[in-house]
């Protein structure tokens, strides 16, 4: 029978045009008493069927990738079919479908093409369907023809002995998926569909039906002529029970193109999966139970050749740089268990991530690119009732970033603060809830699933980091990342052993050892990491922004250890070694510190140009204000302040001894008894730091030291008198530093006699008469002239004395400078002032 003969009748109910041939060999039994309505079909078939949707036919002419027929097949054949309407039983011997083609489209308004096929009949005033053509029975007349027998109450019994599908294909086109207008629709070509079903019974099944299914999935990213050849395959072989639903079997998926469906998964992300293949080899078992679905999945999963790219958050255009990717994520021994009223569980024997890559970018606003991958807000479901992706609402209000605080922090701290201040989105709502328990007072939520992992292995990874917060931009790479994390379980606090190696910026070596459990709640870890031979020149943008100087050269090595206890207590040790850190030209940066960092570096460096410091930190990670980067920055700043404000205390080993001045005996240029030890310590410290220069400033106080200066001047007169007497007698000049007590009275009398004093006591003849030594000394001192010039000269002598003493200890004279002497005035420096020479340090 040519189906075209029925076109006028079908056109009243269906818009598509139907063509094909039908054949039937059947027997019908119908009687009222006793009630009988049965159909026996020995054979029936519909051959060369073509259902043409006029709208689709027009689109097919516009696009060559769409078939003109919505549904077509070579043959649909039935055999040994029996339908008993009274007994409500359908028995089908064989069903065979050959070379079928089905095209399903979803328009931008969310409606399927199949939904437009029926014609909606007009209604007359009585509410009945109006006739559309002469001779067509009305709906009431049609309703008058009813099947004999009792009212339908018993459920239908259906059995299918043998169903076979071969050589078929399904084409899916979706224009309602997010980004459809910009990126085009989602298109999926499933071809070479083959299926076999044996012994399917519903609702009562004496035995499970045996089902075999296989299909090929084209790769939409390949060239048109290669899409099917480069595609993947799906194979299923197992058993099915219709009611209650249960299935069990082996599922095998090879090279399934995940990118064909990526927009359904990334529709709420500013990212696009441009390529990815899935392989699954394992068993699947599902069973419908009164409380819900019981599911068991076990097998091996492979995600291969995966490459995801970021999209511009504003234009949604695809950016050229890859965001994340890997060659293979091989998950061995994957088991998933779902059961009613039980927590879901995932077990992984071992996961191996090979040749992975990730790009981390800190944007100019202080946000990581990964934080911008999730779009804000929940998208509305498209018209037609279809919703793409889970409808998840943000769980908290967006935090307000403190730009000023972020700019004042070091790069890591600024990045951490900016990331913590990011608005909540569906993509980060879960992590936000997990990282803010202390702020809200609510305990951190447990994982919704139990996870056990036998081990994770990383092979040949690379992470590229770019910081656009500084100018010029900073870039570095963590490459050759290899390592292993041992077994861990979300239900246990036992920690897994961590071993990780890599290279930093191509030159530095990274070595991480320790233990942690990334799924434990609360978090606990004990990790040590060493990074050696990291070139500092690439870090010059940071130095320019925060220190005010570019870096010419240098290397960095770090040895850190972090211990986080279950109660959130953190104890960390940071051993930092900077080798040959050399600053270059100054950089005009408003964020640069006002501290003399070049002087601090010179003070911290030893004679070999090495800075070796330890920076211990502690705190609680449960404190919402706690930031490891912020604490480290604070410790570094405090260290620099301590070094530059009390450099000589630092040189003395950080103790209470102040070596910034050398004490002198009052009124003299003679250093105090303990000065030689202080001079030795300063000289040794400067010998270890060849980049430092010393400036010595002698001081004196005329008001405080007047009497002492006169005493010193008198002592010098006495010593000079002693030397002159020795020279006149032909003896060697005395080199004594002080006058012998037994000679003092005689020398004093000689000096008094030779000194012309206007108020000397005289006898009646006018000659100076002898007076007691004390009176002589008083008269001599009375007429000794001291003023600012003599005090300044004394201060200058003190500065020279310190300089000469340092040179005598081995310091090169070219590193020693003598400053203009300084006179101390009353009230300056308080009562603690004492005769001294000041020392100051500077960088060459």
């Amino acid at each position: 029978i040519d189906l075209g003969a029925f076109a006028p009748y079908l056109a009243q109910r269906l818009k598509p045009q139907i063509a094909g041939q039908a054949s039937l060999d059947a027997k019908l039994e119908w009687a009222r008493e006793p009630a009988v309505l049965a159909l026996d079909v020995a054979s029936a078939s519909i051959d060369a069927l073509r259902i043409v949707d006029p709208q689709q036919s027009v689109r097919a002419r516009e696009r060559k990738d769409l078939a003109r027929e919505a549904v077509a097949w070579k043959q649909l054949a039935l055999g040994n079919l029996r339908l008993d309407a009274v007994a409500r039983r359908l028995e089908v011997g064989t069903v065979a479908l050959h070379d079928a083609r089905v095209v399903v489209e979803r328009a931008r308004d969310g409606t399927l093409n199949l939904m437009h096929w029926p014609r909606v009949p007009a209604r007359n005033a009585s509410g009945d369907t109006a006739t559309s053509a002469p001779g067509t029975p009305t709906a009431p007349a049609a309703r008058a023809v009813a099947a004999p027998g009792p009212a339908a109450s018993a459920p239908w019994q259906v059995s299918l002995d043998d169903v076979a599908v071969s050589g078929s294909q399904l084409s899916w086109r979706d224009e309602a998926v997010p980004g459809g207008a910009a990126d085009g629709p989602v298109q999926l070509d499933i071809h070479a569909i083959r299926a076999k079903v044996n012994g399917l019974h519903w609702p009562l099944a004496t035995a499970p039906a045996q089902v075999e299914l296989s299909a090929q999935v084209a790769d939409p990213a390949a060239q048109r002529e290669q899409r099917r050849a480069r595609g993947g395959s799906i194979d299923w072989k197992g058993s099915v029970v219709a009611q209650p639903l249960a299935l069990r079997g082996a599922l095998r998926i090879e090279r399934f193109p995940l990118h064909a469906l990526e927009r359904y998964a990334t529709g709420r992300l500013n990212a696009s999966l441009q390529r990815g293949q899935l392989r699954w080899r394992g068993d699947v078992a599902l069973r419908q139970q009164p409380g819900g679905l019981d599911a068991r999945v076990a097998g091996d999963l492979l995600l291969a050749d995966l490459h995801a790219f970021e999209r511009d958050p504003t234009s949604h255009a695809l950016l050229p740089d890859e965001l994340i990717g890997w060659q293979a994520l091989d998950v061995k021994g994957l088991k998933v268990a779902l059961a009613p009223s039980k927590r879901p569980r995932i077990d992984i024997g071992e996961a191996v991530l090979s040749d992975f890559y990730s790009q981390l970018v800190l944007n100019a606003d202080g946000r990581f690119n990964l934080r911008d991958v999730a779009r804000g807000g929940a998208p509305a479901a498209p018209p037609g009732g279809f919703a793409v992706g889970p409808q998840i609402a943000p769980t908290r209000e967006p935090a307000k970033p403190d730009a000023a605080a972020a700019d004042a922090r070091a790069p890591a701290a600024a990045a951490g603060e900016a990331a913590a201040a990011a608005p909540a989105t569906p993509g980060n709502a879960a992590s936000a809830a997990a990282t803010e328990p202390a702020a809200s007072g609510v305990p951190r939520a447990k994982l919704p699933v139990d996870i056990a992992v036998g081990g994770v292995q990383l092979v040949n990874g690379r992470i590229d980091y770019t910081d656009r917060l500084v100018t010029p931009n900073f870039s570095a790479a963590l490459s050759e990342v290899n390592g292993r994390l041992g077994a861990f379980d979300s239900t246990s606090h036992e920690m897994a052993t961590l071993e990780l190696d890599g290279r930093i910026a191509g030159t530095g070596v990274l070595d991480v050892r320790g233990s942690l459990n990334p799924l434990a709640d609360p978090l606990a870890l004990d990790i040590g990491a060493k990074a050696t031979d990291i070139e500092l020149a690439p870090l010059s943008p940071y130095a320019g922004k925060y220190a005010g100087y570019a870096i010419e050269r240098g290397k960095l090595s770090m040895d850190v250890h972090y211990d986080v206890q279950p109660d959130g207590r953190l104890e960390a040790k940071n051993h930092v070694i900077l080798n040959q850190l050399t600053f270059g030209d100054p950089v005009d940066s408003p964020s640069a510190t006002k501290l003399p960092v070049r002087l601090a570096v010179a003070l911290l460096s030893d004679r070999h140009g090495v800075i070796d410091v330890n920076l211990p930190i502690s705190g609680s990670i449960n404190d919402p204000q706690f930031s490891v980067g912020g604490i480290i920055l604070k410790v570094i700043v405090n260290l620099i302040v301590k070094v530059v404000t009390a450099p000589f205390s630092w040189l003395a080993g950080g103790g209470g001894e102040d070596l910034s001045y050398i004490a002198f005996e009052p009124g003299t240029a003679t250093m105090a008894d303990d000065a030689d030890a202080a001079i030795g310590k300063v000289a040794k410290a400067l010998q270890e730091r060849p980049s430092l220069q010393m400036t010595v400033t002698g001081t004196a106080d005329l008001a405080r030291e007047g009497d002492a200066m006169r005493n010193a001047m008198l002592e010098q007169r006495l010593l000079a008198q002693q030397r002159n007497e020795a020279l006149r007698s032909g003896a060697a000049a005395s080199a004594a530093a002080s006058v012998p007590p037994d000679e003092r009275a005689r020398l004093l009398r000689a000096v008094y006699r030779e000194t012309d004093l206007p108020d000397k006591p005289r006898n009646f003849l006018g000659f100076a008469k002898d007076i007691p030594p004390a009176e002589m000394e008083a008269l001599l001192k009375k007429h000794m002239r001291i003023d600012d010039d003599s005090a300044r000269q004394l201060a200058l002598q003190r500065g020279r004395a310190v300089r000469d003493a340092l040179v005598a200890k081995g310091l090169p004279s070219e590193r020693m400078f003598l400053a203009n002497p300084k006179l101390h005035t009353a009230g300056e420096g308080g009562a603690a002032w004492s005769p001294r020479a000041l020392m100051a340090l500077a960088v060459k």
Side-chain angles (χ1 to χ4, degrees):
I1 300 175
D2 186 355
L3 294 180
F6 298 91
Y9 301 95
L10 296 174
Q12 299 178 39
R13 293 288 184 260
L14 296 176
K15 296 178 183 179
Q17 302 171 2
I18 300 179
Q21 294 83 38
S23 300
L24 179 65
D25 182 2
K27 181 176 73 170
L28 175 66
E29 288 186 77
W30 178 38
R32 286 188 175 273
E33 295 294 341
V36 176
L37 180 56
L39 176 66
D40 288 288
V41 179
S43 64
S45 66
I46 299 179
D47 301 320
L49 177 72
R50 295 175 66 247
I51 301 178
V52 179
D53 186 344
Q55 295 182 1
Q56 179 176 315
S57 181
V58 172
R59 293 193 297 270
R61 288 194 294 269
E62 297 174 352
R63 303 193 309 266
K64 297 181 180 180
D65 58 346
L66 182 66
R68 297 185 62 182
E69 298 87 1
V71 178
W73 62 63
K74 183 177 181 180
Q75 184 183 57
L76 172 62
L78 288 80
N80 299 325
L81 180 148
R82 177 171 177 79
L83 173 65
D84 189 337
V86 176
R88 302 177 69 82
R89 181 181 295 112
L90 174 63
E91 299 174 355
V92 182
T94 60
V95 177
L97 179 63
H98 303 287
D99 296 338
R101 300 189 306 275
V102 179
V103 176
V104 182
E105 285 190 297
R106 184 158 72 121
R108 293 182 183 177
D109 61 1
T111 59
L112 297 176
N113 58 339
L114 305 180
M115 299 169 62
H116 296 286
W117 287 8
R119 293 185 184 276
V120 179
R123 299 278 180 176
N124 57 25
S126 63
D128 293 329
T129 303
T131 56
S132 301
T136 303
T138 62
R143 288 196 296 269
V145 180
S153 59
W156 276 87
Q157 304 291 324
V158 180
S159 64
L160 295 173
D161 292 340
D162 191 356
V163 178
V165 179
S166 63
S168 300
Q169 68 181 64
L170 170 66
S171 297
W172 166 253
R173 180 183 178 91
D174 190 353
E175 296 182 352
V177 70
D183 301 324
V186 171
Q187 298 186 84
L188 190 62
D189 177 15
I190 304 176
H191 58 282
I193 301 174
R194 300 177 62 87
K196 290 183 179 181
V197 180
N198 301 108
L200 179 62
H201 300 273
W202 181 88
L204 300 177
T206 58
Q210 301 302 311
V211 179
E212 295 183 19
L213 174 66
S214 65
Q216 302 287 324
V217 181
D219 185 351
Q223 298 293 331
R224 183 184 301 273
E225 61 276 6
Q226 297 179 343
R227 287 179 180 176
R228 293 193 172 184
R230 294 181 55 180
S233 63
I234 302 175
D235 291 279
W236 163 269
K237 185 175 183 180
S239 60
V240 176
V241 176
Q243 188 176 3
L245 178 63
L247 63 86
R248 179 184 298 273
L251 176 63
R252 186 184 183 98
I253 302 175
E254 299 288 344
R255 301 191 313 277
F256 183 89
L258 290 172
H259 46 280
L261 303 175
E262 64 92 14
R263 301 240 304 280
Y264 293 109
T266 63
R268 304 196 53 192
L269 301 176
N270 292 317
S272 175
L273 179 63
Q274 292 296 292
R275 182 160 185 81
Q277 292 184 347
L278 179 145
R279 186 187 74 188
W280 168 262
R281 296 173 181 176
D283 299 328
V284 177
L286 301 176
R287 179 178 296 275
Q288 184 178 359
Q289 295 186 350
L293 189 66
D294 186 293
R296 296 289 187 273
V297 177
D300 297 332
L301 173 68
L302 175 66
L303 298 177
D305 196 17
L306 186 141
H307 303 278
F309 289 76
E310 187 179 1
R311 292 183 181 273
D312 185 271
T314 304
S315 65
H316 203 54
L318 197 65
L319 299 180
D321 296 329
E322 187 173 356
L323 179 65
I324 190 171
W326 59 70
Q327 186 62 35
L329 173 58
D330 195 358
V331 181
K332 300 289 188 182
L334 173 62
K335 296 180 180 179
V336 180
L338 301 174
S341 67
K342 291 185 179 180
R343 285 175 58 83
R345 181 171 181 84
I346 299 176
D347 290 274
I348 297 175
E350 184 181 37
V352 180
L353 182 60
S354 303
D355 297 300
F356 60 92
Y357 170 80
S358 177
Q359 183 183 64
L360 297 179
V361 178
L362 184 64
N363 297 317
D365 57 357
R367 288 173 56 88
F368 273 112
N369 58 336
L370 295 182
R371 297 296 301 272
D372 290 329
V373 167
R375 301 183 194 172
F386 287 83
V388 179
Q391 304 300 302
I392 306 176
T395 59
R396 63 183 176 115
E397 292 295 326
K400 296 180 180 180
D402 186 351
D407 189 65
R409 291 173 170 84
E417 293 291 338
T425 64
N428 65 14
S431 61
T435 56
E436 297 189 1
S440 62
V442 179
R444 182 167 50 195
K446 299 285 187 179
L447 288 174
V449 60
D450 293 336
I451 302 177
V453 181
V456 178
Q457 186 175 356
L458 303 178
V459 180
N460 194 28
R462 179 184 176 90
I463 300 174
D464 285 344
Y465 173 72
T466 301
D467 190 344
R468 296 173 182 163
L469 190 65
V470 294
T471 303
N473 298 156
F474 168 74
S475 297
L478 178 61
S479 59
E480 300 179 31
V481 179
N482 296 275
R484 179 176 179 81
L485 178 63
F488 56 93
D489 194 323
S490 63
T491 62
S492 171
H493 290 287
E494 293 294 328
M495 294 192 291
T497 301
L498 174 65
E499 298 177 356
L500 188 66
D501 303 307
R503 299 191 69 83
I504 303 175
T507 59
V509 178
L510 175 66
D511 182 14
V512 180
R513 297 291 184 270
S515 57
L516 80 158
N517 187 337
L519 301 178
D521 186 18
L523 174 68
L525 59 84
D526 185 358
I527 293 179
K530 294 181 180 179
T532 58
D533 290 335
I534 302 174
E535 293 290 345
L536 290 175
L539 296 173
S540 188
Y542 291 121
K545 181 177 178 67
Y546 296 104
Y549 293 92
I551 295 179
E552 285 190 356
R553 67 171 187 149
K555 287 189 176 184
L556 166 68
S557 296
M558 296 184 65
D559 187 352
V560 302
H561 183 269
Y562 285 75
D563 184 6
V564 178
Q565 299 297 323
D567 61 358
R569 183 69 182 174
L570 168 68
E571 295 291 340
K573 298 178 181 178
N574 299 273
H575 184 196
V576 181
I577 298 176
L578 298 170
N579 188 9
Q580 305 301 317
L581 172 58
T582 306
F583 286 118
D585 297 332
V587 177
D588 185 12
S589 170
S591 302
T593 179
K594 304 305 180 183
L595 297 173
V597 292
R598 296 180 71 246
L599 175 59
V601 169
L603 287 167
L604 292 170
S605 302
D606 63 13
R607 68 183 306 168
H608 304 292
V610 176
I611 299 176
D612 190 334
V613 294
N614 284 283
L615 304 174
I617 64 173
S618 62
S620 174
I621 63 174
N622 295 328
D623 184 353
Q625 303 300 323
F626 179 80
S627 167
V628 173
I631 290 180
I632 293 178
L633 173 63
K634 184 177 180 180
V635 171
I636 292 175
V637 171
N638 290 342
L639 175 64
I640 293 176
V641 171
K642 179 180 179 181
V643 168
V644 299
T645 56
F648 289 94
S649 177
W650 170 263
L651 294 179
E657 187 177 6
D658 187 0
L659 301 179
S660 63
Y661 69 91
I662 299 298
F664 282 80
E665 297 295 337
T668 71
T670 303
M671 290 182 284
D673 294 340
D674 59 350
D676 186 68
I679 289 287
K681 292 181 180 179
V682 172
K684 181 179 179 181
L686 292 183
Q687 287 171 350
E688 293 292 327
R689 295 162 177 84
S691 61
L692 289 176
Q693 295 177 336
M694 171 73 78
T695 299
V696 182
T697 304
T699 67
D701 189 326
L702 183 62
R704 293 190 182 188
E705 295 187 89
D707 291 342
M709 292 173 63
R710 291 183 176 91
N711 290 335
M713 293 174 66
L714 179 59
E715 291 298 317
Q716 292 300 320
R717 291 282 303 275
L718 296 176
L719 289 174
Q721 180 66 27
Q722 184 183 30
R723 287 194 295 269
N724 291 334
E725 291 178 356
L727 291 173
R728 285 196 294 267
S729 65
S734 175
S738 61
V739 176
D742 57 346
E743 291 287 323
R744 181 176 182 81
R746 185 184 63 79
L747 293 173
L748 177 63
R749 186 175 294 105
V751 170
Y752 177 78
R753 186 170 53 249
E754 294 179 2
T755 303
D756 185 14
L757 299 175
D759 53 352
K760 278 186 178 181
R762 299 180 180 275
N763 57 21
F764 67 95
L765 296 176
F767 296 100
K769 64 178 182 179
D770 290 337
I771 58 177
E775 294 181 12
M776 295 181 195
E777 186 173 336
L779 282 174
L780 288 172
K781 291 180 181 178
K782 176 181 176 182
H783 292 281
M784 288 180 180
R785 184 180 176 219
I786 59 171
D787 53 15
D788 288 347
D789 288 338
S790 55
R792 187 175 290 106
Q793 185 65 27
L794 174 61
L796 182 60
Q797 292 174 1
R798 288 172 174 173
R800 288 173 177 169
V802 173
R803 182 199 62 183
D804 294 344
L806 289 171
V807 172
K809 295 291 185 179
L811 286 179
S813 60
E814 59 267 19
R815 293 176 58 190
M816 309 299 300
F817 296 88
L818 195 62
N820 188 40
K822 180 180 179 182
L823 295 184
H824 182 267
T825 59
E828 182 183 359
W833 185 88
S834 60
R836 64 186 61 187
L838 304 176
M839 294 182 291
L841 297 174
V843 183
K844 286 184 179 181

